[in-house]
Amino acid sequence: MKTVLVPLLIMVLGLSVALGQTNVSGVITSDTTWTLAGSPVIIIDSVTVMSGKTLTIEPGVIVKFNSGTILVVAGGIVAVGTVANPITFTSNLGSPTPGGWRSLTFLNSASVNSVLNYCVFEYGGSGTNGATIFYATGAPNIRIANTTVRFSAGHGVNVRSSSPRISTSTFRENGGYGIYSDLVTTMVVDSSTAAKNTQGGIRIPINSSPTVTNSRIDSNGVGIFIDNSSSPIIQKNNIRYNNIGIQFTGAGTTQPTISQDTITNNTTWGFLNTSTTTTVLARNNYWGSDLGPFHSGLNPTGLGDKVSDNVDFQPWAILAPALPVTQVTATVAANTTWASGVFWVKNSISVNSGITLTIRPGVIVKLASSARITVDGTIVANGKSDSLIVFTSERDDPYGGDTNGDAGATIPSRGIWDFVWLNAGSNSSSILNNCLFRFGGSTSNGNVRVDGRAPTITNSSFTQSSNYG
């Protein structure tokens, strides 16, 4: 039987209703509706919706909780507000602060048909559960949509071992994580925001495989924390202004999918892998600069967010369009200038004696596997600090685009091309200034080999060689 509360003055079994206000406590043993006419609903002592029963809350209703109280859902709850009239769950204190009430808790007997849509939860999160919305162990996958959870003393929501879909919702200014789990979950978070949460935006527990997509993870302690051996899908998110963008504990047998994200302006780390034994894949993300993330050894010229050891971030995404490509297969037999774009050296070539090859700032020289450039004459590669000349592999898509046209199917590795060889007969006026050499050294010579008279090599970086610079 459905009970509809109306604003009459009555008191029955712990339920008192006065004009414009409904006071509730105890158990709900029949289908019940909290109406706008009876709003605000004051939970003066904890309330439990019994198994098999449904509590329906009308749009615009305000539910206020006395200190320390809780709403337990052992049955069902249908709280569907609207954009103009959300349902609000808040503290009954005159000047509310985080932790003014405990939580809305779903038990394992709760109805999977429960709904939280266009709701606002605020000032909860006290008590042992430590979250304003709490899914007890074994609770069903009750969806949260178009909902804001804010000002919790603990986490915004703790899904525990449940795997709900959370969409178009906001979790902000909570004392713990915006979205938290400490047991295995396959939850889906899509098109949502986790911002300004003290501990972090989203916590992914051990051995879990949730999905986080199209979301903004902004200004938290840790943007996304991923515990050991988890393999989440994290794609197309904007992860920014956190202390640590993504923190990873250790890769298991299945690698996560972390790609197509924008990871920028994070204070300490864009990506921190605390494992010293396993490498995590984080390829095809944008790190705030077309020059990629900063890593002192792997990408010292990167101007994007900092990444730790044991993070495979190559290739990374860029915003600039692909550069035009000139294919090079023949010996340089006349004075030549490579002025702009990508020069794709598809096989080993030479610069003849008495000939000068000039390479302008910003040019990218890509070499095929095992290819080398032998200089018997002169090479003048005089870059600028803000317009480096790059020598790299044809597989290195972040520089100049997908030159070999394989849609990123191949990625560069250490020593995949040979080296630039300044031969014994070469001119000592050769210059390598403000150059970046990547992925060369296939024959134990490093990226550059110098024989005979010394050229000028200044302000240049050598990375990812199989041997040395």
Side-chain angles (χ1 to χ4, degrees):
M1 178 178 181
K2 182 176 181 180
T3 301
V4 179
L5 302 183
V6 295
L8 301 175
L9 182 59
I10 61 174
M11 180 173 290
V12 180
L13 296 177
L15 169 67
S16 64
V17 182
L19 184 63
Q21 177 176 311
T22 306
N23 295 336
V24 297
S25 63
V27 296
I28 294 176
T29 57
S30 60
D31 291 343
T32 300
T33 298
W34 291 349
T35 67
L36 183 59
S39 179
V41 175
I42 311 298
I43 295 184
I44 59 175
D45 200 356
S46 295
V47 171
T48 299
V49 182
M50 295 300 290
S51 179
K53 308 305 175 185
T54 299
L55 169 64
T56 301
I57 307 176
E58 291 184 345
V61 168
I62 298 174
V63 182
K64 293 187 174 184
F65 292 76
N66 279 357
S67 180
T69 58
I70 185 172
L71 175 58
V72 177
V73 180
I77 183 172
V78 177
V80 180
T82 66
V83 174
N85 294 290
I87 298 167
T88 301
F89 298 80
T90 189
S91 169
N92 195 33
L93 295 174
S95 298
T97 57
W101 57 285
R102 289 173 62 190
S103 66
L104 185 154
T105 293
F106 295 110
L107 300 184
N108 58 10
S109 60
S111 170
V112 71
N113 296 317
S114 294
V115 180
L116 297 178
N117 194 6
Y118 289 108
C119 296
V120 175
F121 291 82
E122 59 186 14
Y123 300 113
S126 64
T128 56
N129 293 336
T132 295
I133 301 174
F134 179 70
Y135 292 68
T137 302
N141 305 331
I142 296 167
R143 181 175 178 177
I144 298 174
N146 304 302
T147 289
T148 295
V149 185
R150 61 192 180 191
F151 311 138
S152 174
H155 311 302
V157 57
N158 182 351
V159 304
R160 205 82 203 274
S161 59
S162 182
S163 298
R165 181 178 180 86
I166 300 172
S167 60
T168 55
S169 294
T170 298
F171 302 83
R172 66 179 179 89
E173 297 175 82
N174 300 294
Y177 280 84
I179 301 170
Y180 177 92
S181 177
D182 58 357
L183 292 175
V184 175
T185 179
T186 57
M187 67 178 172
V188 173
V189 180
D190 182 65
S191 302
S192 293
T193 296
K196 298 183 180 180
N197 299 288
T198 302
Q199 281 188 264
I202 299 174
R203 185 185 189 279
I204 296 170
I206 190 170
N207 295 324
S208 292
S209 53
T211 298
V212 181
T213 53
N214 304 302
S215 294
R216 181 168 66 90
I217 316 298
D218 195 322
S219 305
N220 304 283
V222 176
I224 300 177
F225 178 90
I226 306 169
D227 212 340
N228 191 44
S229 298
S230 287
S231 53
I233 296 173
I234 300 175
Q235 289 185 313
K236 300 181 180 179
N237 302 290
N238 195 341
I239 303 169
R240 63 181 190 179
Y241 296 110
N242 306 281
N243 181 33
I244 299 171
I246 299 176
Q247 182 170 331
F248 202 85
T249 305
T253 55
T254 302
Q255 280 280 348
T257 300
I258 303 174
S259 65
Q260 304 176 63
D261 298 297
T262 297
I263 305 172
T264 63
N265 294 294
N266 296 287
T267 306
T268 305
W269 296 97
F271 200 121
L272 171 64
N273 183 6
T274 58
S275 171
T276 59
T277 59
T278 59
T279 295
V280 59
L281 301 184
R283 298 170 179 167
N284 298 308
N285 296 291
Y286 179 69
W287 300 89
S289 168
D290 282 0
L291 295 179
F294 174 80
H295 184 281
S296 60
L298 301 179
N299 197 36
T301 60
L303 298 178
D305 277 21
K306 184 179 178 182
V307 298
S308 72
D309 292 339
N310 298 313
V311 177
D312 185 347
F313 55 82
Q314 302 190 74
W316 59 81
I318 60 175
L319 298 183
L323 297 177
V325 177
T326 301
Q327 296 188 17
V328 180
T329 59
T331 293
V332 180
N335 291 337
T336 300
T337 297
W338 293 351
S340 63
V342 174
F343 286 81
W344 185 9
V345 179
K346 301 193 72 175
N347 49 259
S348 294
I349 65 169
S350 298
V351 179
N352 283 351
S353 178
I355 299 302
T356 297
L357 171 62
T358 300
I359 306 177
R360 299 295 189 199
V363 165
I364 297 169
V365 181
K366 291 191 176 183
L367 292 96
S369 297
S370 302
R372 72 174 63 168
I373 299 174
T374 301
V375 181
D376 294 314
T378 303
I379 184 171
V380 177
N382 195 8
K384 299 179 180 179
S385 60
D386 60 351
S387 188
L388 300 176
I389 296 169
V390 180
F391 294 82
T392 189
S393 165
E394 65 184 357
R395 300 181 179 184
D396 197 357
D397 295 351
Y399 287 91
D402 183 16
T403 301
N404 63 353
D406 68 351
T410 56
I411 61 173
S413 58
R414 294 177 184 272
I416 199 167
W417 59 278
D418 206 351
F419 56 92
V420 175
W421 185 6
L422 303 179
N423 210 349
S426 63
N427 196 308
S428 60
S429 60
S430 288
I431 297 173
L432 299 175
N433 180 44
N434 281 310
C435 295
L436 172 62
F437 293 83
R438 293 162 52 84
F439 300 111
S442 63
T443 56
S444 75
N445 289 287
N447 288 281
V448 176
R449 173 177 170 177
V450 178
D451 292 338
R453 289 173 288 182
T456 300
I457 302 178
T458 52
N459 304 311
S460 294
S461 298
F462 305 87
T463 69
Q464 305 288 350
S465 172
S466 61
N467 298 284
Y468 40 82

